[in-house]
Structures are given as C-alpha cells and as structure tokens.
C-alpha cells in the first residue's frame, strides 16, 4: 500500500519533506522582507543545475526588485482594467484596482523566466520547456528549504510584462516567479493530491 501523496512521511528524509511540503504562496501573502543577496544568488544558481538535454541550458532569468514591483502593479491594473470595469460595480472595480496595484509590493523580488530557444533544429522545444520547468522547481524547493514562499505566475499579464523588458529574437517569456517571506497569519491550503496508485503503471 502506497502512502497517501498529500501527507508527509514520518521518515527523516529531508528531500521528501521538501517536495511534499512545497506550496504555492502568492505575493499578497508576503511580508515585504528582503531576501539577502547571497541567498538570492544561491537560489538562482540552483536553478541552473537543472537537467538540460545536450547542455543547451535554455534559460535566462530577469531579477526584478525595488521599483519594478510598483511598475508591475501598474501594469497589472492597466492590463485588466477594461475586463473588470465591464463586469463590476464602480465600488467593486475601485477595490479591484487597488488590489492589483498593491499586489506585487510585498514580494521580495520577481524573477522573469525566459526561454532561450536552441539553434539545434533536432532538439524538440518541449524538452527545452521541460528544462525550464525543472529549473523553476529547483528554485521552488530551494525557497521552501529556506522558509521563503514562491510561485510561478504564467498568466498573460506576467508573460507580457517580462517580454516588455526586452527579449532577443530567439527568446520567449514564460512568466514570473514570485518570491517572498510568507506572513505567518496567512493560511496556506493543503490541496488534496490524487492517490499515487491511480497515476502509476507497473510493468514487470
């Protein structure tokens, strides 16, 4: 009988605890506390140790801090303005505008995720995207191990904002990885996972 995948094991295996304990924690649940520069650099270096077919290392990271947070808040508000204005009362819309403007401000930093497309025609793009996802998972697990909240926002506004920072012809934005120390007053939900036995086939 396999152990339920949404529970933590009673063993002392630190990696298992990190993998199962990782959660997406959104930017409005951060405290605004800065991440020490050396620690931020360590997390980014860990990202570059992800598996990559033929060592193409198809990633580039854009670290956005300080005034970039307010700039992204303004970008979010402008991006969704027409959408929400047509669907909300004036009072609700004003609240939504305020929320969007304030949303990124508590993040310690935002990491733009950029795919650098390989010139090797024989290399499938999905493998390069898989490498990027592995790099982001390395960052997420590194954050979890240091008590830092994180999540990968692949929404249209985040993708477009990173693209607006200037990309080469062979580059593609894949969104923003948010990082910040979580406010302990916010509860992070434990979402139930499908039992592993429903997703695994054994061939013997």
């Amino acid at each position: 009988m396999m152990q339920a995948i949404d529970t933590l094991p009673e063993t002392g295996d630190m990696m298992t605890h990190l993998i199962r304990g990782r959660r997406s924690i959104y930017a409005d649940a951060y405290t605004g506390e800065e991440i020490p520069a050396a620690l931020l650099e360590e997390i980014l270096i860990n990202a570059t140790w992800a598996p990559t077919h033929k060592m193409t290392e198809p990633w580039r990271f854009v670290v956005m801090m300080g005034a970039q947070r307010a700039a992204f808040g303004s970008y979010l508000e402008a991006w969704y303005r027409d959408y929400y204005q047509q669907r909300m009362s004036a009072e609700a819309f004003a609240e939504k505008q305020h929320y969007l403007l304030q949303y990124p401000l508590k993040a310690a930093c935002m990491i733009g995720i950029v795919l650098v497309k390989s010139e090797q025609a024989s290399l499938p793009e999905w493998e390069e995207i898989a490498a990027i996802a592995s790099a982001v998972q390395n960052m997420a697990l590194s954050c979890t191990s240091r008590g830092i909240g994180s999540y990968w926002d692949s929404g249209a506004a985040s993708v477009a904002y990173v693209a607006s920072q200037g990309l080469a012809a062979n580059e593609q934005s894949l969104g923003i990885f948010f990082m910040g120390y979580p406010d302990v007053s916010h509860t992070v939900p434990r979402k139930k996972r499908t039992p592993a036995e429903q997703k695994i086939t054994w061939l013997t």
Side-chain angles (χ1 to χ4, degrees):
M1 175 67 70
M2 287 191 175
Q3 183 180 37
I5 202 167
D6 61 339
T7 61
L8 291 176
E10 295 181 358
T11 69
D13 181 7
M14 179 59 70
M15 181 53 66
T16 297
H17 276 269
L18 286 175
I19 291 171
R20 298 191 194 179
R22 183 211 58 78
R23 295 290 183 274
S24 292
I25 301 178
Y26 302 114
D28 55 353
Y30 299 158
T31 64
E33 179 183 351
E34 292 185 4
I35 298 172
L39 177 53
L40 178 56
E41 183 177 2
E42 177 184 302
I43 292 169
L44 289 165
I45 291 173
N46 286 350
T48 68
W49 281 85
T52 163
H53 190 192
K54 297 185 178 180
M55 291 302 295
T56 59
E57 301 178 275
W59 42 66
R60 184 166 71 85
F61 305 108
V62 182
V63 183
M64 298 175 285
M65 306 170 70
Q68 280 290 327
R69 293 172 294 186
F72 180 59
S74 296
Y75 191 90
L76 272 180
E77 188 278 327
W79 182 274
Y80 289 110
R81 185 182 303 155
D82 290 343
Y83 176 85
Y84 285 118
Q85 194 167 27
Q86 296 171 11
R87 292 165 173 80
M88 293 180 163
S89 66
E91 181 179 358
F93 174 62
E95 291 180 1
K96 178 61 72 173
Q97 281 184 299
H98 179 75
Y99 174 80
L100 292 171
L101 288 167
Q102 297 293 312
Y103 181 75
L105 299 185
K106 292 182 179 180
C109 65
M110 308 180 301
I111 310 295
I113 309 299
V114 178
L115 167 65
V116 182
K117 298 180 180 180
S118 173
E119 296 180 356
Q120 301 184 46
S122 63
L123 197 61
E125 185 175 271
W126 76 262
E127 292 187 357
E128 302 291 79
I129 294 174
I132 292 279
S134 297
V136 173
Q137 180 74 342
N138 279 5
M139 287 196 290
L141 293 175
S142 297
C143 285
T144 299
S145 73
R146 297 303 191 101
I148 298 169
S150 67
Y151 82 101
W152 186 359
D153 183 353
S154 59
S158 291
V159 169
Y161 188 73
V162 174
S164 73
Q165 303 305 304
L167 301 183
N170 67 327
E171 293 183 330
Q172 177 184 342
S173 167
L174 296 180
I176 295 174
F177 185 76
F178 283 84
M179 299 169 57
Y181 288 100
D183 185 334
V184 295
S185 66
H186 286 261
T187 301
V188 180
R190 291 179 57 84
K191 298 178 182 177
K192 187 174 179 60
R193 300 274 176 164
T194 303
E197 57 263 28
Q198 296 183 21
K199 300 292 186 179
I200 299 174
T201 301
W202 300 85
L203 301 178
T204 58

